């Protein structure tokens, strides 16, 4: 897409200490109370004056704001930002932004569009209350949310009764422009006549002081504001004419209605070349001609890649009777819609409806969705309708200074797909996908954090996520699989262990142990659960607690009484826990846990290892019968933890090596997600080239969408997504293997360098942004010689494991070596 503007592209201004103090003097306000919050769009307006002259506009104009659940801020008609980050009402996050560049001498106005779904989702917990609160102190000008200084109303243009976007998210947005011309945002003239429409007594009811439950307190955002910039869609890719089905005017689910009753009436999809369209400085302008009576004209537009954001459209030449439905698609490889069974993909129903006002009107939809294609379904047109489309991207503001490049163009494209997908899955949290869920699944997040460390180096999203997951506690002490969430059944014991490991990951990346101290009590709660009778059998082995969801992997791993995977995953986790105890200086606890781990390793080896075969079998069923055949997963974990090293060769030769070479093996095999652990294991054992061959084979099909998928297969009508960053890990495996850079000490203060020269590859290079600075490494083959170079920042020690290189490099700067043969 073409970028045409940027409203908040400074990585956000992190909140200041004064924010909470100022907000504590303001009041939470919300139009029409909390009795009718269902799918509630709220509008707020505050007008004020700034003195004219040099001192009128402050040198820094910090403005603190939040809303439950979300807001979008405008100043003097210009979009500023959206927020807050997902959180918990007891310490609800707020944002701080410098408004200086938006202010003007004389009259100014602030407009806030806010939203509360009135329900809980996979992103948000609802407490039967909503509010917006804001404050600023610019010397002579002070701003504070209250009933006297602010106008507010419920949006008169939004339909309340609409379908959900999916089972995990909020509602479809149906907007009638004739009921709201948006001048309360764009015009300097203050609006008049804002009165309650549904619940006239509500204004006073939802006006309450700071600190009133559930909003006991507020907290700083801890991460940057989203990067929001306006982009122009790439092109029209499809066009078709179909028949309006009876009831289209009043349908509440414009996605399923279209799929169920109308899509098949489009007999032929053209390539879109017959539709007049052009890119202008303001967007992609599309002129849609009217169809025959009782018919619609559908035009599909391509954003160029999957991008989280919101659609902004401007309509010209409308009679006022038209209906424009926007059907949102993950990706359409043919350029036009294909049938998807309603109810698929977690009841996905991604669509919006817009009823234009007579003449010209415009609107920007509120909910962020992660899509690549939009089908504009234009109904009841009497004459050609001009529609201008823009997309406001909303993503975490990574710099993406890390990189990888080699002479194999397919691998370069796979790396780029990983980068695109990781960016798309990074919002105010690591999300599984920007499409159907946007949930902070923590098994995914561990992989995504590792991706991020190699692509960008930013650890803030991981830190905030660690705290977010800790914030929702199951009664048994476990974390939820994602949080905040309404899904009480999404308690995954193995993801609780993963959460502990991500605290190690944060320490390993940054060298900072503080978050371990902060969360230690929470870690202990989880480990206490695994020693309870519900989780541990009489023989000491961990058992499957059937109250919860034992995920492990999207694979055929048996989930019966005693899963070997869970027992090995536990050892894998507590070994990291012991390392953190040592790093934290708690030697007594370290010795205690080292002893416990030693005993558990012996127990697991004695109970779950088939000594004759040299493999760990899959566990025991309820009748005590061994579960076979052994899985690849269990052998990977055994090798990575060094369990029964005498059997390692058998595990490698019977399971791991044949599988990575494309041979069929019995038992469960890793998914695109869990294969990251297999790749790490095999890379460390000298099978890097085989790993790269496997990546090239299995990830190449994903290049058809330019993203990485939930699994190895994806289709437009599939239940799965084509934008899942849990499978974007080749971005760092390529660096580890081909560039040969591996971290060996906290904060990247020590690394190993041992590149693998892939057959047929002539050169490769990588950049890793670390806390110490950028590490740059590369190699090329010319005239039969291997020319290697590495640039290291101050404070980094390099251990070299390749013949012909020095054993260590300590000197800062660039180093070049030539190896003959």
């Amino acid at each position: 897409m073409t970028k045409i503007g940027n409203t908040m592209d400074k990585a956000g201004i992190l909140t200041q200490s004064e924010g909470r103090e100022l907000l504590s003097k303001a009041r939470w306000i919300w139009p029409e109370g909390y009795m009718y919050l269902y799918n509630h769009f709220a509008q707020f307006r505050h007008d004020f004056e700034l003195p004219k002259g040099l001192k009128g506009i402050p040198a820094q104009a910090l403005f603190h704001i939040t809303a439950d659940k979300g807001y979008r801020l405008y100043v003097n008609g210009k979009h500023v930002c959206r927020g807050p980050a997902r959180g918990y009402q007891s310490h609800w996050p707020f944002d701080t932004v410098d408004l200086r560049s938006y202010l003007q001498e004389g009259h100014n106005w602030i407009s806030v569009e806010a939203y509360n779904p009135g329900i809980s989702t996979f992103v948000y917990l609802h407490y039967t209350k909503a509010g917006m609160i804001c404050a600023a102190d610019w010397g002579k000008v002070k701003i504070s949310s209250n009933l006297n200084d602010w106008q507010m109303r419920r949006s008169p243009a939004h339909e309340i009764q609409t379908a959900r976007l999916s089972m995990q998210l909020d509602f479809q947005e149906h907007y009638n422009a004739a009921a709201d011309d948006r001048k309360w945002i764009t015009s300097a003239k203050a609006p008049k006549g804002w009165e309650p429409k549904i619940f006239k007594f509500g204004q006073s009811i939802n006006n309450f002081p700071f600190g009133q439950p559930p909003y006991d307190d507020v907290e700083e955002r801890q991460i940057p504001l989203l990067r929001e910039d306006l982009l122009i869609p790439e092109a029209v890719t499809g066009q078709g004419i179909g028949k309006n089905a009876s009831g289209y005017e009043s349908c509440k689910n414009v996605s399923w209605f279209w799929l169920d009753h109308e899509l098949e009436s489009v007999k032929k999809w053209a390539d879109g070349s017959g539709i007049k369209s052009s890119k202008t400085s303001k967007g992609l302008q599309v002129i849609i001609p009217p169809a025959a009576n009782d018919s619609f004209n559908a035009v599909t537009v391509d954003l160029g890649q999957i991008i989280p954001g919101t659609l902004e459209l401007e309509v010209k030449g409308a009679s006022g009777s038209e209906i424009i439905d926007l059907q949102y698609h993950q990706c359409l490889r043919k350029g036009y819609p294909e049938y998807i069974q309603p109810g698929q993909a977690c009841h996905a129903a991604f669509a919006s409806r817009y009823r234009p006002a007579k003449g010209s009107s415009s609107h920007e939809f509120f909910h962020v969705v992660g899509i690549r294609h939009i089908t504009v379904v234009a109904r009841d047109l009497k004459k050609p309708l001009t529609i201008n489309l823009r997309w406001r991207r909303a993503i975490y503001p990574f710099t993406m200074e890390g990189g990888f490049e080699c002479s194999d163009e397919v691998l370069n494209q796979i790396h780029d797909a990983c980068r695109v997908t990781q960016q798309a899955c990074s919002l105010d949290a690591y999300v599984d996908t920007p499409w159907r869920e946007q949930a902070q699944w923590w098994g995914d997040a561990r992989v995504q954090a590792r991706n991020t460390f190699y692509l960008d180096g930013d650890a803030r999203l991981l830190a905030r996520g660690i705290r977010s997951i800790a914030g929702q506690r199951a009664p048994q002490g476990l974390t939820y699989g994602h949080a905040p969430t309404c899904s009480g059944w999404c308690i995954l014991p193995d993801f609780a262990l993963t959460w502990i490991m991500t605290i190690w990951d944060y320490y390993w990346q940054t060298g900072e142990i503080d978050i371990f101290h902060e969360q230690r009590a929470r870690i202990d709660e989880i480990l206490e659960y695994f020693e309870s009778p519900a989780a541990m059998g009489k023989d000491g082995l961990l058992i499957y607690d059937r109250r919860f969801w034992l995920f492990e992997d999207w694979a055929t791993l048996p989930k019966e009484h005693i899963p070997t995977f869970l027992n090995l995953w536990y050892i894998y986790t507590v070994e990291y826990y012991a390392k953190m105890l040592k790093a934290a200086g708690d030697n007594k606890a370290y010795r205690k846990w080292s002893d416990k781990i030693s005993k558990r390793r012996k127990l697991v080896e004695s109970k779950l290892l088939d000594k004759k075969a040299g493999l760990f079998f899959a566990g025991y069923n309820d009748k005590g019968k061994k579960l076979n055949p052994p899985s690849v997963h269990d052998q990977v974990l055994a090798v990575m933890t060094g369990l029964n090293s005498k059997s390692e060769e058998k595990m490698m030769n019977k399971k791991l090596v044949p599988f990575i070479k494309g041979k069929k093996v019995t038992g469960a095999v890793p998914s695109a997600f869990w294969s990251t652990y297999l790749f790490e294991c095999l890379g460390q054992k000298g099978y890097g080239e085989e790993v790269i061959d496997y990546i090239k084979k299995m990830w190449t099909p994903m290049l058809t969408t330019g993203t990485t998928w939930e699994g190895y297969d994806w289709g437009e009508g599939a239940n799965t997504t084509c934008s899942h960053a849990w499978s974007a890990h080749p971005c760092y495996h390529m660096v580890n293997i081909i560039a040969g850079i591996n971290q060996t000490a906290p904060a990247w203060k020590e690394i190993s360098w041992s590149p693998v020269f892939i057959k047929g590859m002539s050169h490769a290079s990588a950049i890793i942004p670390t806390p110490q600075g950028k590490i740059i490494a590369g190699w090329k083959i010319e005239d039969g010689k291997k020319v290697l170079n590495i640039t290291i920042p101050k404070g980094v020690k390099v251990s070299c494991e390749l013949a012909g290189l020095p054993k260590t490099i300590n000197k800062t700067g660039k180093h070049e070596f030539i190896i003959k043969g």
Side-chain angles (χ1 to χ4, degrees):
M1 295 182 75
T2 304
K3 180 177 173 180
I4 61 174
N6 181 46
T7 55
M8 181 51 60
D9 195 12
K10 300 176 182 177
I13 295 174
L14 292 181
T15 55
Q16 309 295 315
S17 58
E18 69 171 16
R20 184 192 173 280
E21 181 181 354
L22 289 173
L23 289 171
S24 69
K25 301 172 184 177
R27 296 184 70 86
W28 289 89
I29 57 175
W30 193 265
E32 303 198 24
Y34 50 79
M35 288 183 65
Y36 300 95
L37 288 176
Y38 191 81
N39 197 17
H40 194 312
F41 288 87
Q43 299 171 352
F44 304 87
R45 167 87 177 223
H46 174 62
D47 289 69
F48 61 98
E49 302 293 321
L50 283 178
K52 294 183 179 181
L54 294 177
K55 296 183 179 180
I57 300 176
Q60 187 181 50
L62 296 184
F63 184 72
H64 313 283
I65 181 172
T66 190
D68 177 5
K69 161 181 183 250
Y71 74 87
R72 194 157 53 191
L73 172 65
Y74 301 84
V75 175
N76 293 333
K78 295 179 181 179
H79 180 278
V80 178
C81 65
R82 68 180 302 131
R86 67 191 69 191
Y88 302 98
Q89 282 83 353
S90 60
H91 47 105
W92 192 251
F94 72 92
D95 302 328
T96 298
V97 61
D98 189 350
L99 299 184
R100 186 182 190 283
S101 62
Y102 299 91
L103 298 175
Q104 60 195 16
E105 295 179 358
H107 186 69
N108 291 262
W109 68 99
I110 295 173
S111 307
V112 179
E113 185 174 24
Y115 178 76
N116 190 287
I119 60 169
S120 294
T121 67
F122 275 39
V123 176
Y124 167 76
L125 287 167
H126 184 59
Y127 278 83
T128 323
K129 211 162 189 178
M132 187 278 292
I133 190 169
C134 62
D137 185 348
W138 305 331
K140 293 182 178 180
V141 176
K142 294 177 173 57
I143 297 174
S144 181
S145 51
N146 59 72
L147 287 184
N148 296 326
D149 298 334
W150 288 74
Q151 294 191 73
M152 60 181 181
R153 68 173 179 177
R154 184 170 192 156
S155 168
H158 283 91
E159 177 69 30
I160 296 173
Q161 298 296 329
T162 67
R164 296 278 294 277
L165 291 166
S166 70
M167 66 175 280
Q168 293 94 346
L169 293 173
D170 297 324
F171 296 88
Q172 293 178 8
E173 188 174 346
H174 298 187
Y175 187 83
N176 185 352
D180 183 2
D181 59 12
R182 307 289 281 181
K183 286 185 178 179
W184 65 276
I185 294 175
T186 61
S187 175
K189 187 177 181 179
K192 294 182 179 181
W194 280 21
E195 297 293 339
K197 301 295 184 183
I198 296 177
F199 187 46
K200 66 180 181 178
F201 306 108
Q203 307 288 74
S204 58
I205 291 178
N206 224 21
N207 160 37
F208 48 94
F210 180 92
Q212 185 178 104
Y215 310 107
D216 302 295
D217 208 340
V218 294
E219 68 175 8
E220 297 180 347
R221 182 184 178 95
Q222 302 169 359
I223 55 174
L225 293 165
L226 297 182
R227 176 181 296 132
E228 299 186 76
D229 41 15
L230 288 169
L231 307 174
I232 302 175
E234 289 293 328
V236 172
T237 59
Q239 185 266 331
I241 293 176
K243 196 76 172 176
N244 289 329
S246 176
Y248 73 90
E249 307 97 325
S250 58
C251 66
K252 304 302 181 186
N253 191 329
V254 298
S255 170
W256 290 7
F257 185 89
W258 193 60
L259 291 171
D260 255 343
H261 306 295
E262 297 180 328
L263 180 57
E264 290 185 351
S265 71
V266 181
K267 301 304 180 185
K268 181 181 179 181
W269 285 94
D271 63 7
S273 59
I275 294 294
K276 291 182 180 180
S277 64
S278 61
K279 285 188 177 182
T280 72
S281 60
K282 294 184 178 180
L284 179 66
Q285 182 174 281
V286 180
I287 300 175
I288 303 180
N293 290 338
D294 299 324
S295 296
F296 60 80
N297 202 340
V299 176
T300 300
V301 172
D302 184 5
L303 300 181
Q305 64 184 41
I306 293 178
I307 306 172
T310 54
L311 178 66
E312 180 184 286
L313 78 168
E314 181 182 8
V315 178
K316 295 180 180 179
S319 67
S321 61
E322 300 90 346
I323 295 176
I324 300 172
D325 290 336
L326 295 312
Q327 305 288 342
Y328 301 128
H329 316 277
Q330 283 191 84
C331 183
L332 301 172
R333 287 173 289 189
K334 293 180 181 179
Y336 57 81
E338 296 185 46
Y339 180 74
I340 301 175
Q341 178 68 40
Q344 295 282 87
C346 299
H347 308 294
F350 285 88
S352 300
R353 170 163 282 187
Y354 182 69
R355 296 177 183 266
K358 185 176 180 180
S360 298
S361 60
S362 64
H363 181 63
E364 181 175 347
F365 292 95
F366 189 89
H367 302 309
V368 171
V369 292
I371 63 169
R372 175 168 175 172
H373 289 87
I374 305 165
T375 297
V376 181
V377 182
R379 309 174 187 271
D380 302 331
L381 273 61
K382 307 300 182 186
K383 57 182 180 179
L385 198 63
T386 300
I387 302 178
N388 192 72
L389 302 168
R390 303 196 294 186
W391 188 256
R392 190 182 301 278
R393 177 170 55 178
I395 54 174
Y396 188 86
F398 288 132
T399 59
M400 291 289 183
E401 293 182 348
F404 172 84
E405 190 275 333
C406 69
S407 59
D408 189 321
E409 187 54 33
V410 172
L411 290 179
N412 292 338
Q413 291 177 32
I414 290 172
H415 188 275
D416 189 60
C418 293
R419 179 188 58 78
V420 168
T421 309
Q422 185 54 67
Q423 180 65 86
C425 293
S426 303
L427 305 176
D428 62 326
Y430 287 127
V431 299
D432 57 338
T433 172
W435 170 242
R436 67 169 186 242
E437 293 189 43
Q438 299 178 21
Q440 189 176 222
W441 284 100
W442 207 244
D444 307 44
R446 185 176 194 226
V447 179
Q448 293 193 51
R450 187 84 179 272
N451 298 342
T452 299
F453 297 158
Y454 281 79
L455 292 169
D456 184 88
D458 191 335
R460 290 174 291 181
L461 209 54
L462 175 63
R464 192 177 195 284
I466 288 170
R467 295 181 174 108
S468 180
I469 294 295
Q472 192 168 353
R473 180 188 180 279
Q476 300 78 15
L478 293 171
T479 58
Y480 282 72
H482 59 95
T485 182
C486 66
S487 184
W489 58 272
C490 284
I491 300 171
L492 288 64
D494 48 323
F495 274 28
L497 294 173
T498 301
W499 177 80
I500 295 174
M501 284 189 280
T502 57
I503 298 175
W504 163 264
D505 294 340
Y506 181 82
Y507 163 68
W508 189 245
Q509 172 66 15
T510 65
E512 299 170 7
I513 199 67
D514 291 354
I515 202 165
F516 170 71
H517 290 296
E518 173 192 302
Q519 299 295 334
R520 184 166 173 183
R522 195 71 185 84
I523 295 171
D524 290 345
E525 284 186 320
I526 293 169
L527 296 178
E528 286 169 8
Y529 160 79
F530 281 101
E531 294 183 353
S532 71
M536 184 179 290
K538 293 180 180 179
D539 60 359
L541 291 175
L542 299 182
I543 60 178
Y544 175 24
D545 187 341
R546 298 176 191 272
R547 295 175 296 175
F548 306 128
W549 178 10
L550 181 61
F551 178 79
E552 302 177 329
D553 184 22
W554 280 137
T556 56
L557 286 162
K559 295 175 174 57
E560 299 197 39
H561 183 54
I562 298 176
T564 297
F565 180 97
L566 182 61
N567 281 272
L568 294 176
W569 194 249
Y570 177 81
I571 290 175
Y572 183 52
T573 301
V574 294
E575 288 188 339
Y576 281 118
Y577 177 59
K579 291 178 183 178
M580 286 189 280
L581 289 169
K582 187 175 183 180
D586 191 340
N587 294 321
K588 181 178 179 181
Y590 170 71
R591 289 191 296 270
K592 173 186 173 183
W593 271 95
S594 295
D595 182 59
K596 291 176 71 170
I597 291 168
S598 177
K599 291 177 180 177
R600 177 151 294 277
R601 289 169 66 92
K602 292 176 182 178
L603 173 67
V604 168
E605 286 180 3
S606 67
K607 298 286 186 179
L608 297 172
L609 175 68
D610 183 333
K611 294 180 181 178
K612 183 177 180 180
L615 300 173
F616 281 87
F617 53 89
Y620 295 95
N621 66 15
D622 292 339
K623 296 181 180 180
K625 183 179 179 181
K626 290 181 180 179
L627 298 168
N628 275 304
S631 72
V632 170
H633 302 72
D634 294 340
Q635 316 320 310
V636 167
L637 290 173
V639 172
M640 290 180 74
T641 54
L643 276 171
N644 200 275
S645 57
K646 294 179 181 179
S647 298
E648 182 178 298
E649 186 176 351
K650 291 182 179 179
M651 296 180 208
M652 296 290 294
N653 293 335
K654 289 185 178 182
K655 287 288 182 180
L656 308 193
V657 176
F659 175 74
I660 204 68
K661 289 185 175 181
K663 297 179 181 179
K664 188 174 182 179
V665 296
T666 57
V669 299
S671 69
F673 152 60
W674 209 88
S675 61
T676 186
Y677 298 100
L678 171 68
F679 296 165
E680 182 179 347
C681 175
L682 288 173
Q684 292 171 354
K685 295 298 178 180
Y687 291 91
E689 187 157 7
E690 289 80 358
V691 169
I692 297 301
D693 288 344
Y694 186 86
I695 288 173
K696 189 171 179 179
K697 175 185 175 182
M698 301 303 290
W699 267 257
T700 294
M702 302 184 195
L703 299 181
T704 58
T705 63
T707 49
T708 62
W709 302 347
E710 188 172 358
Y712 289 123
D713 298 306
W714 180 80
E716 279 74 1
N719 267 316
T720 55
T721 81
C722 64
S723 53
H724 241 75
W726 73 357
S727 58
H729 47 78
C731 68
Y732 66 80
H733 292 299
M734 291 183 197
V735 175
N736 292 155
I737 294 168
I738 301 173
I741 299 297
N742 284 273
Q743 180 185 0
T744 56
W748 292 85
K749 291 184 178 180
E750 295 181 16
I751 62 172
S752 65
W753 184 32
S754 182
V756 175
F757 303 101
I758 305 297
K759 184 178 179 181
M761 191 177 291
S762 63
H763 71 268
S765 62
I767 301 172
I768 310 170
T770 78
Q772 311 308 320
K774 292 180 184 177
I775 296 172
I776 305 172
W779 56 264
K780 61 182 177 180
I781 298 175
E782 55 182 28
D783 301 326
K785 301 176 182 178
K786 298 182 179 75
V787 181
L788 300 90
N789 64 80
I790 187 168
T791 302
I792 57 174
K794 185 178 179 180
V796 174
K797 178 182 177 181
V798 183
S799 298
C800 305
E801 301 174 7
L802 191 68
L805 297 179
K807 289 186 177 181
T808 59
I809 304 171
N810 292 311
K811 188 177 179 181
T812 302
K814 185 175 181 179
H815 306 266
E816 186 172 292
F817 307 93
I818 298 176
I819 302 176
K820 297 180 180 180

